[in-house]
Short mmCIF file of all heavy atoms in Angstrom, two decimals:
data_model
loop_
_atom_site.label_atom_id
_atom_site.label_comp_id
_atom_site.label_asym_id
_atom_site.label_seq_id
_atom_site.Cartn_x
_atom_site.Cartn_y
_atom_site.Cartn_z
N ALA A 1 82.64 152.28 103.74
CA ALA A 1 83.06 152.95 102.55
C ALA A 1 83.08 154.48 102.71
O ALA A 1 84.03 155.21 102.22
CB ALA A 1 82.34 152.57 101.28
N ALA A 2 82.16 154.99 103.40
CA ALA A 2 82.02 156.51 103.62
C ALA A 2 83.15 157.00 104.45
O ALA A 2 83.81 158.07 104.20
CB ALA A 2 80.66 156.84 104.25
N ARG A 3 83.51 156.20 105.53
CA ARG A 3 84.64 156.64 106.34
C ARG A 3 85.94 156.53 105.50
O ARG A 3 86.87 157.43 105.73
CB ARG A 3 84.73 155.62 107.58
CG ARG A 3 83.59 155.81 108.55
CD ARG A 3 83.84 154.78 109.60
NE ARG A 3 85.07 154.97 110.33
CZ ARG A 3 85.53 154.18 111.33
NH1 ARG A 3 84.78 153.03 111.69
NH2 ARG A 3 86.64 154.38 111.92
N GLU A 4 86.13 155.59 104.65
CA GLU A 4 87.31 155.46 103.87
C GLU A 4 87.43 156.64 102.86
O GLU A 4 88.45 157.25 102.66
CB GLU A 4 87.23 154.15 103.06
CG GLU A 4 88.41 153.99 102.08
CD GLU A 4 88.19 152.74 101.18
OE1 GLU A 4 87.33 152.01 101.39
OE2 GLU A 4 88.99 152.79 100.22
N LEU A 5 86.25 157.02 102.27
CA LEU A 5 86.27 158.17 101.38
C LEU A 5 86.56 159.45 102.13
O LEU A 5 87.10 160.39 101.57
CB LEU A 5 84.98 158.22 100.61
CG LEU A 5 84.80 156.99 99.63
CD1 LEU A 5 83.35 157.07 98.99
CD2 LEU A 5 85.82 156.90 98.58
N PHE A 6 85.93 159.59 103.32
CA PHE A 6 86.04 160.78 104.01
C PHE A 6 87.58 161.03 104.40
O PHE A 6 88.00 162.39 104.26
CB PHE A 6 85.25 160.77 105.31
CG PHE A 6 85.39 162.04 106.16
CD1 PHE A 6 84.60 163.21 105.73
CD2 PHE A 6 86.10 162.09 107.21
CE1 PHE A 6 84.62 164.27 106.48
CE2 PHE A 6 86.25 163.20 108.01
CZ PHE A 6 85.46 164.38 107.66
N PHE A 7 88.28 160.09 104.74
CA PHE A 7 89.68 160.38 105.11
C PHE A 7 90.58 160.28 103.86
O PHE A 7 91.66 160.88 103.92
CB PHE A 7 90.12 159.29 106.14
CG PHE A 7 89.49 159.48 107.42
CD1 PHE A 7 88.46 158.61 107.82
CD2 PHE A 7 89.89 160.51 108.31
CE1 PHE A 7 87.94 158.67 109.05
CE2 PHE A 7 89.35 160.62 109.63
CZ PHE A 7 88.27 159.70 109.91
N ALA A 8 90.20 159.63 102.85
CA ALA A 8 90.98 159.56 101.65
C ALA A 8 90.81 160.65 100.62
O ALA A 8 91.77 161.00 99.84
CB ALA A 8 90.78 158.13 100.96
N ASP A 9 89.65 161.18 100.51
CA ASP A 9 89.25 162.15 99.28
C ASP A 9 88.76 163.42 99.91
O ASP A 9 87.84 164.03 99.31
CB ASP A 9 88.26 161.49 98.48
CG ASP A 9 88.82 160.32 97.76
OD1 ASP A 9 90.05 160.18 97.55
OD2 ASP A 9 88.01 159.35 97.32
N PRO A 10 89.35 164.08 100.84
CA PRO A 10 88.85 165.39 101.21
C PRO A 10 89.11 166.44 100.20
O PRO A 10 88.42 167.44 100.03
CB PRO A 10 89.56 165.72 102.54
CG PRO A 10 90.81 164.81 102.58
CD PRO A 10 90.41 163.61 101.65
N TYR A 11 90.12 166.22 99.34
CA TYR A 11 90.48 167.21 98.42
C TYR A 11 89.40 167.38 97.29
O TYR A 11 88.90 168.40 96.82
CB TYR A 11 91.83 166.72 97.63
CG TYR A 11 92.13 167.58 96.45
CD1 TYR A 11 92.68 168.79 96.47
CD2 TYR A 11 92.01 166.88 95.18
CE1 TYR A 11 92.98 169.54 95.29
CE2 TYR A 11 92.27 167.63 94.00
CZ TYR A 11 92.72 168.92 94.15
OH TYR A 11 92.98 169.60 92.93
N HIS A 12 88.85 166.16 96.89
CA HIS A 12 87.71 166.16 95.92
C HIS A 12 86.50 166.75 96.50
O HIS A 12 85.76 167.47 95.72
CB HIS A 12 87.45 164.74 95.43
CG HIS A 12 88.58 164.10 94.79
ND1 HIS A 12 89.07 164.22 93.44
CD2 HIS A 12 89.61 163.15 95.25
CE1 HIS A 12 90.05 163.51 93.21
NE2 HIS A 12 90.40 162.88 94.26
N VAL A 13 86.23 166.57 97.75
CA VAL A 13 85.05 167.26 98.35
C VAL A 13 85.21 168.76 98.40
O VAL A 13 84.32 169.50 98.00
CB VAL A 13 84.92 166.69 99.76
CG1 VAL A 13 83.73 167.58 100.41
CG2 VAL A 13 84.53 165.20 99.80
N GLY A 14 86.39 169.27 98.77
CA GLY A 14 86.61 170.63 98.70
C GLY A 14 86.53 171.28 97.33
O GLY A 14 85.97 172.36 97.12
N ILE A 15 87.08 170.55 96.26
CA ILE A 15 86.90 171.10 94.90
C ILE A 15 85.55 171.32 94.51
O ILE A 15 85.18 172.25 93.93
CB ILE A 15 87.73 170.04 93.98
CG1 ILE A 15 89.26 170.29 94.21
CG2 ILE A 15 87.46 170.45 92.57
CD1 ILE A 15 89.78 171.59 93.85
N THR A 16 84.79 170.18 94.86
CA THR A 16 83.32 170.29 94.48
C THR A 16 82.60 171.40 95.15
O THR A 16 81.79 172.16 94.52
CB THR A 16 82.57 168.97 94.73
OG1 THR A 16 83.28 167.89 93.98
CG2 THR A 16 81.20 168.95 94.39
N LEU A 17 82.79 171.57 96.46
CA LEU A 17 82.25 172.74 97.15
C LEU A 17 82.60 174.08 96.67
O LEU A 17 81.85 175.04 96.57
CB LEU A 17 82.53 172.53 98.62
CG LEU A 17 81.94 171.29 99.35
CD1 LEU A 17 82.45 171.39 100.88
CD2 LEU A 17 80.46 171.53 99.41
N ILE A 18 83.97 174.13 96.30
CA ILE A 18 84.38 175.54 95.80
C ILE A 18 83.67 175.75 94.45
O ILE A 18 83.21 176.91 94.16
CB ILE A 18 85.80 175.54 95.66
CG1 ILE A 18 86.59 175.52 96.96
CG2 ILE A 18 86.34 176.74 94.87
CD1 ILE A 18 88.10 175.30 96.92
N ARG A 19 83.67 174.82 93.56
CA ARG A 19 82.91 174.91 92.32
C ARG A 19 81.47 175.44 92.48
O ARG A 19 81.02 176.25 91.71
CB ARG A 19 83.05 173.69 91.47
CG ARG A 19 84.52 173.41 90.89
CD ARG A 19 84.54 172.01 90.44
NE ARG A 19 85.80 171.70 89.72
CZ ARG A 19 86.25 170.56 89.38
NH1 ARG A 19 85.44 169.42 89.64
NH2 ARG A 19 87.43 170.29 88.84
N LEU A 20 80.78 174.66 93.38
CA LEU A 20 79.33 174.95 93.59
C LEU A 20 79.17 176.35 94.13
O LEU A 20 78.32 177.04 93.64
CB LEU A 20 78.86 173.88 94.62
CG LEU A 20 77.38 173.93 94.95
CD1 LEU A 20 76.56 173.70 93.69
CD2 LEU A 20 77.09 172.95 96.06
N THR A 21 80.06 176.74 95.17
CA THR A 21 79.83 178.09 95.71
C THR A 21 80.08 179.22 94.79
O THR A 21 79.28 180.08 94.70
CB THR A 21 80.76 178.23 96.94
OG1 THR A 21 80.56 177.14 97.87
CG2 THR A 21 80.63 179.57 97.61
N VAL A 22 81.22 179.10 93.88
CA VAL A 22 81.51 180.16 93.01
C VAL A 22 80.39 180.23 91.96
O VAL A 22 80.00 181.33 91.60
CB VAL A 22 82.84 179.91 92.34
CG1 VAL A 22 83.11 180.85 91.26
CG2 VAL A 22 83.95 179.93 93.49
N ALA A 23 80.02 179.08 91.42
CA ALA A 23 78.97 179.13 90.31
C ALA A 23 77.65 179.71 90.77
O ALA A 23 77.01 180.46 90.13
CB ALA A 23 78.86 177.60 89.83
N VAL A 24 77.21 179.32 91.94
CA VAL A 24 75.95 179.78 92.48
C VAL A 24 76.07 181.25 92.83
O VAL A 24 75.08 182.00 92.52
CB VAL A 24 75.48 178.93 93.74
CG1 VAL A 24 74.27 179.63 94.37
CG2 VAL A 24 75.18 177.50 93.40
N GLY A 25 77.19 181.67 93.36
CA GLY A 25 77.28 183.12 93.68
C GLY A 25 77.36 184.03 92.53
O GLY A 25 76.64 185.05 92.46
#
């Protein structure tokens, strides 16, 4: 399932990382 999500949902991972970085900064 992790391999499936890694290749299918990189957009959602990027969105979460951007939100986290901006908010913490």
Side-chain angles (χ1 to χ4, degrees):
R3 293 179 58 186
E4 176 186 351
L5 294 174
F6 180 79
F7 291 106
D9 295 333
Y11 170 75
H12 297 279
V13 175
I15 288 294
T16 299
L17 291 179
I18 292 174
R19 290 168 173 168
L20 183 65
T21 303
V22 173
V24 172

